[in-house]
Amino acid sequence: MENGKRKLVFATNNQHKLEEARAILGDKFEVVSLSEIGCHDDIPETADTLEGNALIKARWIKERYGFDCFADDTGLMVEALDGAPGVYSARYAGEHCSFADNVNKMLREMAGKENRKAYFATVVALILNGETYTFEGKVDGEISVEPLGEGGFGYDPIFIAEETGRSFAEMSPEEKNAISHRGRAMRKLEDFLIAEN
């Protein structure tokens, strides 16, 4: 505990995710990344569900580094693509693809499709005092026909949230966190942690 805040490891080195988590949890908890605990492991994500992958990452850190921690896995589920890319969202265009590669592949796959419905889901797995918990967040929307906006990361430029009619990349970080899948899962995590503290 530093400055009276409980330290929690977030099993990620993704700077964008880290900033989102710190924006949501930062007032009450000290959120540290994998590199800050000296973890540079390539943690396998071999489950076929978001929950499974989040649990693999959280357990990996707890077992090898001993820290209470949380991990997330996020997927974009597109109705016209039978729920793809789902758990493969980050690697949709191949193993070492960029965000732009994924966006371009999605736009190609969706070309000419009438049904643009999609949703984003995040599952956060928490290991705390030897117990495991999971929290899910979801947001409905649709895939745009072209990238919109300059902000965000990943599929943000082509995911139009139902509630706002704008893409995540057109929103400020605060606006996005207020309605995003990860924001919702993180707030459930925050509520739980506050109740536990």
Side-chain angles (χ1 to χ4, degrees), residues 12-162:
T12 188
N13 276 320
N14 178 320
Q15 212 42 51
H16 300 285
K17 285 187 180 186
L18 205 57
E19 281 163 19
E20 285 185 2
R22 284 178 173 152
I24 293 165
L25 299 171
D27 290 350
K28 302 165 194 77
F29 303 92
E30 186 197 351
V31 179
V32 297
S33 68
L34 292 179
S35 58
E36 291 172 275
I37 61 164
C39 170
H40 301 284
D41 308 354
D42 192 9
I43 304 173
E45 294 183 44
T46 49
D48 53 12
T49 62
L50 299 176
E51 184 175 322
N53 279 334
L55 286 166
I56 287 172
K57 290 186 271 192
R59 287 179 180 137
W60 182 281
I61 299 310
K62 183 65 183 169
E63 285 161 15
R64 287 166 180 76
Y65 296 85
F67 291 101
D68 280 342
C69 63
F70 64 95
D72 82 313
D73 199 29
T74 292
L76 173 63
M77 288 53 166
V78 181
E79 205 170 274
L81 303 178
D82 297 325
V87 286
Y88 305 106
S89 295
R91 309 179 287 285
Y92 189 42
E95 209 38 59
H96 299 289
C97 59
S98 68
F99 292 146
D101 296 337
N102 283 334
V103 164
N104 292 334
K105 178 171 180 181
M106 176 59 67
L107 290 174
R108 282 196 308 274
E109 296 281 324
M110 290 298 287
K113 288 193 172 23
E114 291 283 303
N115 178 2
R116 315 285 299 179
K117 274 193 201 144
Y119 70 89
F120 257 125
T122 291
V123 176
V124 173
L126 169 71
I127 298 180
L128 188 70
N129 305 327
E131 298 291 328
T132 304
Y133 309 90
T134 56
F135 309 91
E136 187 174 5
K138 195 178 154 200
V139 60
D140 290 308
E142 58 181 48
I143 303 299
S144 63
V145 290
E146 60 182 12
L148 303 164
E150 299 299 317
F153 64 99
Y155 296 94
D156 287 358
I158 58 169
F159 183 80
I160 298 174
E162 200 173 85

